[in-house]
Amino acid sequence: MLDNELHQNGGVQVMNKPSSSLNHPLSSEMCSSASLSVPSTPKDGVVVKVSHVGACYSEGQMRRKRIRPRFPGIRDTSLCSGVEVAGTIYDVSNSLPNSNFCVGDKVILFPDEDLANSGYVEYIAIDDTCKVLQVPQNISLEVAAMLPGGALSAYAAVLGAKPHVEKLQQVKSCVNVLVVGGGGLGLWTIRLAQLLLGNLCNSVRLFVADNSIDKLLTAQDHGCYDIVHWNEEDHEQYIVERTLDACRGGVDVIIDYVSSPRTMNRSLKVLNREGLIMVGGNSMKEVSISLNALAAKQQSIVGIPKGNMNQLRDLVNFVSEGKLSPPCYAVFPIEDVNQVFDDLCECRITGRAIFRLGNSATVTDNQ
């Protein structure tokens, strides 16, 4: 569910469309023939016909290796995660007790390891219907597809940070929150912080740091208080001073979706006393931290918790009720999958990219 953060700046424009030609041999015929087989309906389960999936990698390490999405029956196409899935009920088991599901219902799937390893397929058999969540008619499936992945991770992060923010608000007139990573996770965090943390301008100021100027401009358009350019070519102390200057003295809460050794060490240098760092664990690298320094400054480092089904249900309700708007996104036909992932790896796309499965796929965006 982790999108690309803090890569090189490649002259991005918001949701720039990829070219129709592919740089890798994955034709539309291969996409269709690989994914059209319909599985048997499990006992007490359902079959979901997938219409939209999010373009996201399972780990930052895979992203850097430029790993390709996986389609059944196609060799050497990677382990791309299928954790953002939306579609409709295709079939319901006759033995499913007290079923509220009907053929044609719009649904999303709660992400688990089995779903993540399935790759991009057009039909998915679900044994446990507790992992299937119905979507109201006023939510489009392209928006619904984003909720189980990036939105759920960001929601869990903001909920985890909220008690610490509220505690600091009792003793501080303004709490500074820094989000490291201006991609889809960062944009969802801005949206959810605006919803859950109150007025960001008065009592909470939310900053976004990233290596990409274009992602930072997109984050600014989404309503963060200010942006900080973490240009990896600059001297480290200069980046720290720039951050302290932008945040007017330091940061109280940091949500780090990159969690590399450089971003962690940088975050510790700008974190205030009694500050909190929440790590997303994208880098999969070890970081050396002085426990004595943490104890002396009463600082804390915690992992971002995994979202749960109740939180996913909250997100659906927020969107349905108009309380939460999705960040910028574009929808691409699944046939453009390789070009889209190339553009994501090179930061030629900001915001979110969603794939539409089926013959009616066309490129659209919400801008």
Side-chain angles (χ1 to χ4, degrees), residues 30-50:
M30 294 174 70
C31 291
S32 300
S33 63
S35 61
L36 282 178
S37 60
V38 181
S40 300
T41 305
K43 184 179 182 296
D44 300 336
V46 298
V47 173
V48 174
K49 186 179 189 299
V50 178

Side-chain angles (χ1 to χ4, degrees), residues 53-212:
V53 291
C56 50
Y57 294 96
S58 59
E59 294 292 348
Q61 185 178 43
M62 292 183 180
R63 179 180 65 244
R64 287 190 295 275
K65 291 181 180 178
R66 305 180 63 79
I67 292 182
R68 298 277 158 241
R70 183 174 68 190
F71 292 87
I74 299 177
R75 300 174 62 185
D76 194 25
T77 52
S78 96
L79 296 173
C80 184
S81 173
V83 299
E84 294 184 332
V85 177
T88 55
I89 296 293
Y90 179 81
D91 193 25
V92 181
S93 171
N94 293 330
S95 60
L96 182 60
N98 302 319
S99 173
N100 292 320
F101 295 108
C102 296
V103 173
D105 284 351
K106 296 163 68 172
V107 295
I108 54 177
L109 305 181
F110 182 78
D112 60 14
E113 186 174 350
D114 292 337
L115 180 63
N117 291 332
S118 67
Y120 292 146
V121 293
E122 195 163 351
Y123 295 91
I124 300 178
I126 305 295
D127 297 297
D128 184 3
T129 57
C130 292
K131 300 176 183 177
V132 182
L133 181 61
Q134 291 169 307
V135 176
Q137 288 300 316
N138 66 339
I139 301 180
S140 67
L141 286 172
E142 59 196 41
V143 170
M146 293 185 281
L147 301 182
L152 185 58
S153 295
Y155 187 35
V158 175
L159 286 178
K162 186 177 180 181
H164 196 77
V165 171
E166 292 175 341
K167 175 184 175 182
L168 292 176
Q169 284 178 318
Q170 298 177 7
V171 295
K172 302 185 67 170
S173 59
C174 188
V175 177
N176 287 340
V177 178
L178 175 67
V179 177
V180 180
L185 286 168
L187 298 180
W188 272 116
T189 302
I190 296 172
R191 289 283 198 245
L192 287 158
Q194 291 166 340
L195 174 65
L196 300 174
L197 299 183
N199 192 323
L200 293 181
C201 294
N202 293 333
S203 61
V204 179
R205 294 186 298 200
L206 191 144
F207 303 81
V208 176
D210 199 286
N211 186 40
S212 165

Side-chain angles (χ1 to χ4, degrees), residues 256-261 263-264 278-285 287:
D256 186 352
Y257 290 120
V258 181
S259 306
S260 69
T263 63
M264 282 297 299
M278 303 192 69
V279 295
N282 290 15
S283 75
M284 300 186 70
K285 292 183 179 180
V287 180

Side-chain angles (χ1 to χ4, degrees), residues 161-321:
K162 186 177 180 181
H164 196 77
V165 171
E166 292 175 341
K167 175 184 175 182
L168 292 176
Q169 284 178 318
Q170 298 177 7
V171 295
K172 302 185 67 170
S173 59
C174 188
V175 177
N176 287 340
V177 178
L178 175 67
V179 177
V180 180
L185 286 168
L187 298 180
W188 272 116
T189 302
I190 296 172
R191 289 283 198 245
L192 287 158
Q194 291 166 340
L195 174 65
L196 300 174
L197 299 183
N199 192 323
L200 293 181
C201 294
N202 293 333
S203 61
V204 179
R205 294 186 298 200
L206 191 144
F207 303 81
V208 176
D210 199 286
N211 186 40
S212 165
I213 287 290
D214 299 272
K215 287 187 176 183
L216 290 174
L217 294 176
T218 302
Q220 196 169 49
D221 290 340
H222 281 65
C224 67
Y225 182 83
D226 204 354
I227 54 178
V228 187
H229 188 205
W230 280 12
N231 187 349
E232 299 303 318
E233 297 180 359
D234 289 343
H235 189 275
E236 189 66 22
Q237 186 58 35
Y238 178 69
I239 297 176
V240 170
E241 291 174 357
R242 177 189 297 156
T243 306
L244 290 172
D245 181 64
C247 298
R248 294 172 175 80
V251 183
D252 302 298
V253 177
I254 298 175
I255 301 175
D256 186 352
Y257 290 120
V258 181
S259 306
S260 69
R262 293 191 72 176
T263 63
M264 282 297 299
N265 289 329
R266 194 176 297 159
S267 295
L268 286 169
K269 291 179 180 178
V270 301
L271 188 66
N272 285 331
R273 185 179 180 84
E274 299 184 15
L276 169 69
I277 299 179
M278 303 192 69
V279 295
N282 290 15
S283 75
M284 300 186 70
K285 292 183 179 180
E286 294 184 358
V287 180
S288 298
I289 297 173
S290 170
L291 297 181
N292 288 336
L294 282 179
K297 297 181 180 180
Q298 300 180 46
Q299 296 168 331
S300 304
I301 301 176
V302 300
I304 296 175
K306 181 180 179 180
N308 56 50
M309 191 62 164
N310 287 332
Q311 292 171 351
L312 182 57
R313 190 173 288 107
D314 288 344
L315 289 172
V316 170
N317 292 334
F318 290 152
V319 175
S320 178
E321 295 167 3

